[in-house]
């Protein structure tokens, strides 16, 4: 494996070493991944890609998302973490989306084979088809056919059936892949906006046996019920792939996305669901999609994304 050079321009943070106690921030403990991950250790990986969003007629700029999130992660306190491994970025060149997704899948599979727990930063939600390819490749190599839960926190189903693939097609691609191989799959989409999905997409969700909850039933007053739903989904699966489309958050919290949500799911609800999934011991892979620094306001979205990433990276 070639040695990755960290971008020191991103991994910068204030130095409080003159103060008493543990003052380390993530920038002070980050290391380039060179195969040293311990079993279960989280590893960052970026997917710098706009091709899927462009194909889906969205606002491009998500290719800058991995760097934008890292910049705000850098200054967060370590709180007991001893190191953070960064495996760099898979970069999509122009419209070569399928090639980039395949390369992402290979990198994810490699990390899983080493026992790591990848956290992939996007990029558009086309990241999901690449991430899932890595999980599927690893499970196939292990001869493992146990049920997979794909849990998507998202305002959109992303079940479009048109091709070529885009940021709107990944879960249809996943469903068709699993159907062709007889792989047990449960797709769950939490935070769906009725105003952002056509009747055709609801029909496709029903066809693939998806479970979904709309945004108006994902507010703080519904948290206990939603966590019970998540627990039931977790109980039926052995492997969990968590994917967070950041446009599930309200636009005031997450302005920097292709399609800001006028209603959305509160950050507190999203975070509690993320923590419940992480605590299950079944989380194999997670990614975060759609952060677009070009449309962020004063780093509001980057700070929210970095907080969620920190929760997934901490042990």
């Amino acid at each position: 494996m070639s040695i990755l050079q960290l971008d020191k321009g991103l991994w910068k943070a204030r130095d409080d070493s003159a103060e008493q106690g543990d003052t380390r921030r993530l920038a002070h403990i980050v290391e380039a991944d060179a195969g040293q991950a311990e079993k279960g250790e989280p590893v960052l990986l970026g997917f710098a890609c706009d091709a899927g969003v462009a194909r889906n007629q969205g606002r491009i700029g998500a290719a800058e998302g991995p760097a934008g999130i890292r910049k705000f992660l850098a200054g967060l306190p370590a709180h007991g973490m001893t190191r953070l491994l960064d495996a760099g970025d898979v970069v999509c060149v122009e419209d070569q989306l399928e090639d980039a997704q395949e390369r992402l899948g290979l990198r994810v599979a490699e990390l899983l084979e080493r026992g790591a727990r990848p956290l992939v930063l996007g990029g558009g939600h086309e990241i999901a088809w690449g991430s899932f390819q890595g999980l599927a490749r690893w499970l196939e190599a292990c001869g493992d056919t146990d049920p997979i839960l794909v849990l998507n926190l998202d305002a959109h189903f992303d079940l479009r059936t048109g091709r070529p693939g885009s940021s709107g097609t990944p879960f249809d691609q996943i469903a068709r892949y699993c159907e062709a191989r007889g792989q047990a799959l449960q797709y769950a989409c939490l935070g769906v906006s009725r105003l952002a999905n056509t009747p055709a997409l609801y029909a496709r969700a029903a066809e693939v046996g998806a479970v979904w909850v709309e945004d108006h039933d994902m507010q703080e007053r519904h948290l206990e019920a939603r966590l019970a739903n998540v627990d039931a989904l977790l109980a039926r699966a052995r492997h969990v792939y968590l994917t967070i489309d950041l446009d599930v958050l309200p636009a005031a919290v997450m302005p920097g996305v292709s399609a800001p949500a006028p209603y959305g799911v509160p950050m507190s609800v999203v975070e509690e669901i993320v923590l419940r999934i992480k605590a299950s011991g079944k989380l194999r892979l997670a990614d975060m999609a759609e952060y677009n620094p070009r449309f962020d306001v004063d780093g509001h979205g980057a700070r929210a994304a970095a907080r969620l990433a920190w929760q997934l990276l901490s042990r």
Side-chain angles (χ1 to χ4, degrees), residues 200-261:
L201 289 167
Y202 276 90
R204 181 58 182 151
E207 284 177 3
V208 303
V211 172
W212 67 85
V213 180
E214 293 187 353
D215 51 7
H216 55 77
D217 288 323
M218 292 284 296
Q219 303 307 301
E220 289 183 337
R221 63 186 179 274
H222 306 115
L223 180 57
E224 185 175 348
R226 296 294 78 83
L227 290 176
N229 295 152
V230 169
D231 287 342
L233 289 166
L234 290 169
R236 296 194 293 268
R238 183 177 177 193
H239 306 292
V240 180
Y241 161 37
L242 170 64
T243 179
I244 306 170
D245 188 322
L246 293 164
D247 70 19
V248 74
L249 294 164
V253 176
M254 183 53 65
V257 288
S258 179

Side-chain angles (χ1 to χ4, degrees), residues 153-155 190-192 244-250 261 263-266 270:
L153 293 167
D154 198 341
L190 307 184
V192 175
I244 306 170
D245 188 322
L246 293 164
D247 70 19
V248 74
L249 294 164
Y263 190 69
V265 179
V270 170

Side-chain angles (χ1 to χ4, degrees), residues 29-209:
I29 65 167
V30 69
E31 300 177 16
D33 173 58
Q36 71 271 43
E38 299 175 357
K39 185 174 179 59
E41 185 173 4
V43 177
L44 270 182
L45 176 63
F47 184 61
C49 181
D50 269 324
V53 174
R55 290 182 184 183
N56 203 30
Q57 304 176 52
R59 305 192 297 180
I60 63 170
E64 302 159 21
I69 297 172
R70 282 185 177 98
K71 180 179 177 181
F72 281 85
L73 266 175
L76 298 184
H79 279 301
M81 295 172 62
T82 57
R83 70 176 176 185
L84 170 61
L85 298 179
D86 187 345
D89 290 348
V90 172
V91 178
C92 180
V93 179
E94 297 179 346
D95 188 50
Q96 298 176 33
L97 174 57
E98 289 74 19
D99 171 72
Q101 288 170 321
E102 182 178 4
R103 287 187 285 116
L104 174 60
L106 290 170
R107 293 287 297 279
V108 167
E110 176 194 355
L111 289 168
L112 290 169
E113 174 63 26
R114 291 200 266 125
R117 178 165 52 84
L119 171 59
V120 193
L121 308 177
H125 216 170
E126 62 268 24
I127 193 176
W129 176 226
S131 291
F132 183 84
Q133 286 184 61
L135 177 63
R137 183 184 294 269
W138 173 66
L139 291 174
E140 184 176 350
C142 297
D144 191 323
T145 58
D146 287 332
I148 300 172
L149 169 62
V150 175
L151 199 152
N152 179 26
L153 293 167
D154 198 341
H156 308 90
F157 282 118
D158 288 341
L159 281 166
R160 295 181 183 274
T161 57
R163 297 294 185 270
S166 72
S167 62
T169 66
F171 302 105
D172 183 69
Q173 291 171 281
I174 290 170
R176 292 179 189 276
Y177 175 95
C178 291
E179 182 181 10
R181 288 160 178 78
Q183 171 67 58
L185 170 73
Q186 177 63 72
Y187 174 48
C189 189
L190 307 184
V192 175
S193 169
R194 182 163 287 269
L195 302 183
N197 295 271
T198 63
L201 289 167
Y202 276 90
R204 181 58 182 151
E207 284 177 3
V208 303

